[in-house]
Amino acid sequence: MSPPLFSLTEKNKDIKKQCEESIKIINHLWDGGKINVDFIICRLLFESVPVIRNQVLDIYIKKELYERHLSFYLIREVEQQLSPCLYVDRQSKEQHHEQDGWLIFRGTFSDEQAVVVIHQPHVPDHQALYTNVLLTGEDNLHKNQLNQLKHLRHPHIVSLLAFNTMFVPRFYVLQSFGNDLQQELQRRRENQTYYRQVDLVRLLIQVASAVEHCHAQGIIHRNLTAASLSAIAGPRQRALLGSFKLAHKLHGGKEEVVI
């Protein structure tokens, strides 16, 4: 009877060496076409043990799979981390869009419609895993939005449902914004299904309540437009205030961007 596949490394007390040899064996099987281990080992791209993560990362870069499929790997990893709370169907995964180094797509979080936003790491950032370097202006806008929403809890402000800023993949999950009010007004104009005056007044009161809450927390929205509001349809119509990327926090009566 032949010895187990990993018996050659069992005598080696160096854990790092064992990891390296194990990854080599897996890669050899993959290269030989004996088994497709992509589905299994792609999760090791986010392993906390550096030697494992970087060995697997090197394999994916050499096979030219990393950049080509990074979006898919990030979505699947976040879905796994937040399971069973987060569910993303195949169509939503395929219809994700990329914006200045961030992935954005829709899903369901604990039976509530949600928007998932994931940072796309550069290779050095991914190798380090725990570095918290967000380099671009867009990165800082997302970081600012996340920091502001951590301090806001209000029925008419978009809720922050989950987030991770400590390690790759960095992400946050928001209550679904749906169509913004600008889009909704345009749709109603085209269909000639206008809001009743009483409904518009109710929405404006809700928005005013949300803004008042922000000010009570020392936060100035700075982007209060129809595009930053969402009117949720239904028998109990309500407004949601979102788009906090440009918000400022007041400290001692002075504005300060939280980044």
Side-chain angles (χ1 to χ4, degrees):
M1 181 176 180
S2 60
L5 183 62
F6 294 96
S7 63
L8 296 178
T9 62
E10 287 177 351
K11 296 180 181 179
N12 192 332
K13 302 301 181 181
D14 185 343
I15 299 299
K16 179 179 178 181
K17 187 66 176 178
Q18 288 187 31
C19 292
E20 291 174 343
E21 291 301 320
S22 298
I23 295 298
K24 286 180 181 178
I25 292 172
I26 292 173
N27 189 40
H28 176 72
L29 292 173
W30 194 358
D31 283 342
K34 298 178 181 178
I35 184 173
N36 184 357
V37 296
D38 179 31
F39 183 79
I40 301 171
I41 71 169
C42 73
R43 289 213 65 194
L44 297 179
L45 286 167
F46 307 100
E47 168 60 47
S48 60
V49 179
V51 63
I52 297 177
R53 181 180 65 257
N54 290 329
Q55 286 278 324
V56 173
L57 190 58
D58 286 343
I59 290 174
Y60 274 77
I61 291 172
K62 290 176 182 176
K63 292 181 181 294
E64 299 183 348
L65 292 173
Y66 182 74
E67 291 188 4
R68 194 189 320 164
H69 299 306
L70 178 60
S71 298
F72 171 71
Y73 298 142
L74 290 169
I75 293 171
R76 185 160 63 184
E77 178 63 18
V78 170
E79 190 177 17
Q80 289 284 341
Q81 287 186 20
L82 295 179
S83 177
C85 295
L86 178 65
Y87 171 74
V88 185
D89 61 33
R90 176 178 292 184
Q91 183 177 8
S92 296
K93 292 176 183 178
E94 293 174 350
Q95 291 180 351
H96 75 269
H97 69 276
E98 303 181 15
Q99 180 180 340
D100 298 323
W102 291 78
L103 295 175
I104 304 172
F105 57 95
R106 297 188 180 276
T108 303
F109 189 90
S110 298
D111 297 325
E112 182 166 8
Q113 294 302 305
V115 174
V116 186
V117 186
I118 309 176
H119 180 249
Q120 294 177 287
H122 300 289
V123 171
D125 190 29
H126 197 154
Q127 289 172 329
L129 191 68
Y130 287 99
T131 58
N132 195 17
V133 179
L134 296 177
L135 301 175
T136 69
E138 186 67 19
D139 292 347
N140 283 328
L141 290 176
H142 280 280
K143 188 176 180 181
N144 185 52
Q145 174 166 251
L146 174 59
N147 285 334
Q148 306 292 5
L149 287 173
K150 287 179 184 177
H151 304 286
L152 296 171
R153 294 290 185 274
H154 190 274
H156 301 296
I157 294 177
V158 169
S159 297
L160 178 63
L161 302 175
F163 66 92
N164 166 47
T165 59
M166 295 298 295
F167 51 85
V168 175
R170 296 180 183 86
F171 64 86
Y172 60 99
V173 183
L174 300 178
Q175 181 182 12
S176 180
F177 200 64
N179 288 334
D180 62 50
L181 185 56
Q182 184 171 306
Q183 294 171 326
E184 179 67 8
L185 290 173
Q186 178 65 30
R187 185 187 69 81
R188 286 176 175 269
R189 186 180 302 113
E190 292 172 354
N191 297 336
Q192 295 187 344
T193 55
Y194 303 106
Y195 278 113
R196 296 181 305 163
Q197 185 176 9
V198 64
D199 292 331
L200 283 174
V201 171
R202 184 184 299 114
L203 292 175
L204 288 173
I205 291 173
Q206 292 172 355
V207 172
S209 174
V211 173
E212 183 180 38
H213 178 73
C214 291
H215 292 175
Q217 303 302 314
I219 295 173
I220 303 174
H221 189 277
R222 296 181 69 243
N223 189 30
L224 195 59
T225 66
S228 64
L229 297 168
S230 176
I232 297 179
R236 299 179 62 184
Q237 289 180 337
R238 65 189 181 103
L240 282 176
L241 176 61
S243 300
F244 281 81
K245 290 182 180 180
L246 299 178
H248 277 194
K249 176 107 176 147
L250 288 176
H251 289 280
K254 296 181 179 180
E255 293 184 16
E256 179 178 309
V257 181
V258 182
I259 59 174

